[in-house]
């Protein structure tokens, strides 16, 4: 509703054209899947059939798929890290976390930790959210670390949390 997916496709089209990426893996809530397919048609003038793998066997089959777009719920992704890592080793994957405020937990609970593990294997990373910090600045640590998984742009988690608590 706010144009995040359309703007994302503008960037994605450039990365595909330049052969930086060849697969798009969107992990998010099921309610976000329709817009990814609908906006593709709006942006590129043709329909796309996205693969929506759920079980372990379907996720393993992603490696052989000719599809460009893969849509997956957080839970499926978190339970199938090894298969997703293999998929990302085989392809130049853009990993998108839609509604990224769902990985905001700096205590690295299951999904936040899974997102950070997967980030290192993606060729490019993108986050989309309308509410990046619904609680306070600490909500940003996991999201920004996901984008730059090898650089820790906000420092390691403990020093950042201490800083955020004292500087609001």
């Amino acid at each position: 509703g706010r144009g995040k997916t359309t703007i994302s496709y503008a960037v994605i089209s450039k990365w595909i054209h330049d052969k930086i990426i060849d697969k798009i893996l969107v992990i998010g809530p099921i309610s976000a899947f329709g817009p990814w397919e609908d906006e593709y048609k709006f942006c590129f003038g043709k329909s796309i059939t996205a693969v929506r793998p759920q079980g372990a066997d379907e996720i393993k089959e992603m490696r052989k798929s000719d599809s460009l777009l893969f849509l997956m719920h957080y839970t499926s992704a978190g339970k199938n890290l090894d298969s997703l890592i293999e998929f990302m080793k085989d392809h130049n994957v853009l990993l998108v976390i839609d509604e990224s405020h769902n990985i905001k937990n700096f205590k690295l609970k299951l999904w936040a930790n899974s997102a950070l593990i997967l980030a290192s294997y993606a060729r490019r990373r993108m986050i989309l959210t309308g509410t990046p910090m619904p609680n306070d600045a600490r909500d940003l640590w996991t999201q920004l670390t996901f984008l730059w998984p090898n650089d820790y742009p906000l420092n390691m988690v403990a020093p950042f949390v201490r800083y955020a608590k004292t500087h609001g």
Side-chain angles (χ1 to χ4, degrees), residues 61-168:
E61 289 299 312
M62 287 171 54
R63 293 174 73 184
K64 301 177 202 168
S65 177
D66 291 335
S67 294
L68 171 66
L69 180 61
F70 299 84
L71 304 168
M72 186 177 298
H73 188 268
Y74 309 112
T75 304
S76 296
K79 290 181 179 178
N80 293 282
L81 291 179
D82 291 339
S83 294
L84 291 173
I85 289 168
E86 291 304 315
F87 170 71
M88 288 193 268
K89 285 180 178 178
D90 289 348
H91 300 283
N92 294 317
V93 177
L94 165 63
L95 178 58
V96 180
I97 304 298
D98 202 338
E99 302 297 343
S100 67
H101 54 275
N102 287 298
I103 66 167
K104 72 182 185 312
N105 193 326
F106 63 87
K107 294 179 182 173
L108 296 180
K109 298 215 172 161
L110 178 65
W111 172 231
N113 190 54
S114 297
L116 292 181
I117 290 168
L118 292 173
S120 296
Y121 294 93
R123 179 76 186 266
R124 290 283 194 270
R125 290 156 298 281
M126 183 181 287
I127 57 173
L128 303 177
T129 185
T131 53
M133 45 186 251
N135 299 312
D136 58 43
R138 294 177 294 176
D139 293 346
L140 296 174
W141 188 85
T142 308
Q143 295 175 81
L144 293 178
T145 302
F146 169 83
L147 292 172
W148 293 280
N150 302 314
D151 297 332
Y152 292 95
L154 297 177
N155 203 341
M156 300 301 284
V157 70
F160 177 73
V161 168
R162 280 193 303 275
Y163 178 85
K165 279 184 178 179
T166 58
H167 293 87

Side-chain angles (χ1 to χ4, degrees), residues 11-24 68 91-95 123-124:
V11 173
I12 290 167
S13 68
K14 176 70 170 141
W15 287 341
I16 291 170
H17 178 268
D18 292 347
K19 300 191 183 322
I20 294 169
I21 64 164
D22 57 19
K23 303 288 183 187
I24 306 163
L68 171 66
H91 300 283
N92 294 317
V93 177
L94 165 63
L95 178 58
R123 179 76 186 266
R124 290 283 194 270

